[in-house]
Amino acid sequence: MDFESKANASTPTDNIEFAQPTTTRKPLELLRDTEALLRRPTVAKLSPILPPKLSNRFQSTSSLADDSFKELAEIDLNTITDFELRPARILVGLSLVGFGALMILVLLLYLNTLHPKISTVVQIRQYWYQYIWFVCLGITGMFILGREAMRPMPKRRK
């Protein structure tokens, strides 16, 4: 008696090779081109219905975006060192810590002004999700800052 299902029997599959792109483009070039493909038709559709002064500013901002993305696309990501990214990582960590603390204060201000008669335990029970979210943002920022503090500094050449 054969208990093995015919549907589960393994059959050799054909190895299908996908077409490889002929030229490899840098990620920043892809970002520039994708953004331009979305922005240019939007500007073309909105410019006629906007007031003339606003339309001119809108179009000049679009051309400024073209120039900025052109400069951005010229950056070679492989030449950026880990040490050069350190200030950006520190700023992200500080931003997360600050935003988490600020939002906890805003939440407390909201609860104390709009719901002053509710006890703290009931407030935490009703708004626990927001508390946890903002505390997690702060903790994430602290982890980023702690990781940066523990990174070894590169040796300087004399």
Side-chain angles (χ1 to χ4, degrees), residues 64-97:
L64 181 66
D66 276 334
D67 297 339
S68 299
F69 274 111
K70 184 178 179 183
E71 289 177 17
L72 187 66
E74 293 171 359
I75 296 173
D76 185 16
L77 294 177
N78 294 329
T79 60
I80 299 174
T81 64
D82 190 44
F83 183 70
E84 291 173 336
L85 292 175
R86 187 172 191 188
R89 287 191 296 260
I90 290 173
L91 285 175
V92 167
L94 289 173
S95 298
L96 288 173
V97 170

Side-chain angles (χ1 to χ4, degrees), residues 102-154:
L102 178 69
M103 291 312 295
I104 287 174
L105 287 175
V106 168
L107 182 62
L108 290 174
L109 180 66
Y110 167 77
L111 292 175
N112 288 332
T113 55
L114 296 178
H115 307 291
K117 296 181 182 177
I118 300 175
S119 70
T120 307
V121 174
V122 175
Q123 288 176 352
I124 291 174
R125 187 177 300 136
Q126 285 180 338
Y127 293 95
W128 69 272
Y129 189 80
Q130 288 83 0
Y131 277 114
I132 298 299
W133 179 252
F134 299 140
V135 167
C136 286
L137 279 176
I139 290 172
T140 302
M142 292 299 287
F143 271 114
I144 292 172
L145 291 173
R147 184 173 175 240
E148 282 306 307
M150 290 188 293
R151 269 183 200 263
M153 292 292 293

